[in-house]
Amino acid sequence: MNSSHTDCHFCLQSLRGRKYALREENAYCVPCYDSLYANPCEECKQPIECSSKDLAYKGRHWHEGCFRCAKCSRSLVEKPFAAKDEVLLCTECYSDEYSSKCFHCQKTIMPGSRKMEFKGSSWHESCFVCQYCRQPLGTKPLITKDNENYCVPCFEKQFAHHCYACKKVITSGGVTYHDQPWHKECFVCAVCKTQLSGQRFISKDEYSYCVDCFSKFCAKKCAACKKPITALGGAKYISFEERQWHGECFNCARCSVSLVGQEFLTQQDDILCHKCGSA
């Protein structure tokens, strides 16, 4: 190089007719520059002289000939590579050692390619699709069934139950009654609309009622005590000629003996045991 610089900034020897290097506008002879500023090579630990190509990655430096895969020793110059624990590897060696395998196709997910992760497993982006419509799931909401992933519309179309009342999809929870699925908020008393899930209720003619509403509006009245007959808990009742009685109310009108399972007689609106009726 020819320049207005005539002496080495460090050793002060003349630079006329000699190669030199510039740093911060100061000129140095090659030996001085290398001893002062040359970076040590990560591989061979020798200085990278100013006459050599200095390859740098994340603050570390290599000779061009030393910039190689730590496993297979192939040159990484102008080639894609990956780093693991400060060790440089070509993409093939990195994949063999560290890359995830796709849950679907079991092939390596190459470094630099997009990887989808779900429930601790990894997929190629092209493999992470709805099992039914085969469209990419990406970051869309999804539902898993039998280790297969489905977009929400396809899952609802194939597997979801529809509420017996509102006909809409039951996405979570719900109750089943008489083999029919219901939203909890749809399974209500036919009169007061109180939710019946977890409560005592009575069904009649395809409708369900809370106990209070059934007693008020649907239950038959006992011919003796005039109170509703709900038959809750399996309680027995007696029916005769369009009249009903609680089991404990079906007694002789005169002597009050229980007539449940016994022969009886009628006299106008009264029921009588055989003894009282024959008297």
Side-chain angles (χ1 to χ4, degrees), residues 81-126:
F81 63 90
K84 179 70 174 178
D85 300 328
E86 298 189 354
V87 175
L88 302 185
L89 299 167
C90 64
T91 54
E92 290 84 356
C93 288
Y94 183 88
S95 298
D96 290 341
E97 291 289 326
Y98 304 110
S99 288
S100 304
K101 296 292 190 297
C102 176
F103 183 83
H104 176 72
C105 70
Q106 296 303 308
K107 295 181 180 179
T108 298
I109 301 175
M110 298 296 290
S113 62
R114 191 171 184 188
K115 178 174 68 173
M116 310 304 296
E117 294 186 346
F118 179 65
K119 290 187 175 180
S121 298
S122 302
W123 281 264
H124 291 110
E125 185 178 22
S126 58

Side-chain angles (χ1 to χ4, degrees), residues 114-259:
R114 191 171 184 188
K115 178 174 68 173
M116 310 304 296
E117 294 186 346
F118 179 65
K119 290 187 175 180
S121 298
S122 302
W123 281 264
H124 291 110
E125 185 178 22
S126 58
C127 292
F128 194 58
V129 298
C130 171
Q131 178 67 17
Y132 185 74
C133 69
R134 312 305 299 175
Q135 293 300 307
L137 290 169
T139 56
K140 298 176 184 177
L142 61 91
I143 301 173
T144 301
K145 179 179 173 63
D146 299 331
N147 289 326
E148 299 290 356
N149 300 319
Y150 299 84
C151 64
V152 174
C154 285
F155 182 86
E156 292 179 350
K157 186 185 300 182
Q158 294 297 306
F159 305 109
H161 294 294
H162 291 75
C163 177
Y164 184 76
C166 70
K167 310 306 179 185
K168 295 181 180 178
V169 170
I170 300 173
T171 57
S172 62
V175 295
T176 300
Y177 180 64
H178 282 179
D179 295 326
Q180 298 291 349
W182 306 68
H183 291 112
K184 285 186 177 181
E185 57 270 23
C186 293
F187 189 57
V188 297
C189 172
V191 177
C192 69
K193 306 305 179 185
T194 299
Q195 288 191 25
L196 298 177
S197 178
Q199 308 297 323
R200 299 177 74 186
F201 64 90
I202 303 169
S203 294
K204 180 180 179 182
D205 301 331
E206 297 186 1
Y207 294 97
S208 297
Y209 304 85
C210 66
V211 174
D212 288 343
C213 288
F214 185 86
S215 298
K216 291 177 183 177
F217 302 105
C218 303
K220 298 180 183 296
K221 300 298 189 295
C222 176
C225 71
K226 309 305 181 185
K227 294 181 180 179
I229 299 174
T230 62
L232 278 175
K236 295 181 179 180
Y237 70 95
I238 292 87
S239 180
F240 176 71
E241 293 184 349
E242 298 184 356
R243 291 189 294 166
Q244 288 80 31
W245 290 261
H246 293 109
E248 62 272 19
C249 295
F250 193 59
N251 302 322
C252 175
R254 292 183 182 175
C255 68
S256 299
V257 68
S258 175
L259 297 177

Side-chain angles (χ1 to χ4, degrees), residues 4-21:
S4 59
H5 298 90
T6 57
D7 299 323
C8 172
H9 184 71
F10 185 73
C11 69
L12 303 181
Q13 292 186 20
S14 174
L15 297 176
R16 293 184 182 276
R18 300 172 62 189
K19 291 182 178 181
Y20 64 89

